[in-house]
Amino acid sequence: MELVGGMLLLDRQALAGIGGWADQSAWATSYADQMTLSADLTAAGRTLYFTPDVRLGSPHLKFGATGRYPAGERDRPVPGCGRTLSELVDICAVPRTDTGCRTAPEVFFEEETGALFAFFASRSAHGARAWALRTYREFVVRGIVHSKMVATVPASAQRRVLWRRGLARGAAVAGERAWRIAEEAVAAVGDEPLSRR
């Protein structure tokens, strides 16, 4: 497990005013939910604050994740759960692939690419294209991964396949304009056209 020292505090009326959480059911990981929420709140004229305050931190236990948690914290009771943090860490250490962000690495990378591409494509053609090209350079070419959700990084040829699949899935979710953006990005890196399965 890893400590993710953050919490979201949100006014219920603000959430209702933007229609609630966006539907992320197209994605096994819901990877773009926080970005969509932030963009929707900002578009509605709400102000978001980042407050690095340890008094508002909380443990974020991720099913099947590997990692660490401070040993001194493990024996403290978790309010409202009737269990210690150690017990919850042990429960969450059981490998799972059918809940939350617990997917196989190849599924995760395709999902991450697709969900984020769909997010950007629904808001800005220029931003989506720039993001797709940046992801190609960082993930496909250099093998850079910006997530601790997975422990392994696929080989270069597999990263290319996952990037292409992710763009295609994101375009399928976001619509025709997204397909054009994805096709431009693929052409810009000298790759063959995407298949619209």
Side-chain angles (χ1 to χ4, degrees):
M1 299 322 104
E2 293 181 319
L3 172 64
V4 179
M7 295 178 68
L8 169 67
L9 300 175
L10 182 62
D11 181 277
R12 183 182 297 194
Q13 289 179 330
L15 183 61
I18 61 168
W21 290 92
D23 180 7
Q24 296 284 307
S25 61
W27 309 104
T29 62
S30 300
Y31 200 80
D33 60 352
Q34 75 282 4
M35 292 174 60
T36 304
L37 177 68
S38 298
D40 290 348
L41 287 168
T42 302
R46 298 293 182 157
T47 303
L48 307 178
Y49 298 95
F50 171 69
T51 308
D53 186 336
V54 295
R55 293 171 298 175
L56 297 177
S58 68
H60 184 172
L61 301 174
K62 298 176 283 190
F63 285 106
T66 57
R68 60 195 172 279
Y69 205 87
E73 295 289 312
R74 292 177 61 102
D75 294 328
R76 85 180 149 94
V78 176
C81 288
R83 296 178 186 262
T84 65
L85 182 58
S86 181
E87 289 174 300
L88 295 176
V89 167
D90 290 343
I91 290 169
C92 291
V94 176
R96 298 182 185 194
T97 58
D98 60 350
T99 182
C101 291
R102 298 288 39 117
T103 59
E106 60 276 5
V107 174
F108 174 82
F109 291 122
E110 180 180 328
E111 289 271 321
E112 177 189 39
T113 300
L116 295 179
F117 179 72
F119 168 81
F120 287 117
S122 68
R123 286 163 171 77
S124 164
H126 175 75
R129 186 176 188 277
W131 183 86
L133 293 175
R134 176 183 170 186
T135 304
Y136 181 85
R137 289 189 306 271
E138 292 181 356
F139 176 62
V140 177
V141 175
R142 298 173 60 196
I144 296 172
V145 175
H146 298 288
S147 176
K148 293 186 176 183
M149 301 299 286
V150 292
T152 60
V153 179
S156 178
Q158 182 65 11
R159 293 195 306 266
R160 177 186 160 271
V161 169
L162 296 172
W163 177 76
R164 289 173 52 82
R165 282 188 195 160
L167 288 185
R169 285 216 36 228
V173 168
E176 190 57 37
R177 181 176 87 150
W179 273 112
R180 289 192 299 275
I181 300 165
E183 288 166 352
E184 289 172 9
V186 168
V189 299
D191 215 337
E192 61 193 56
L194 295 173
S195 171
R196 295 193 189 206
R197 310 179 229 169

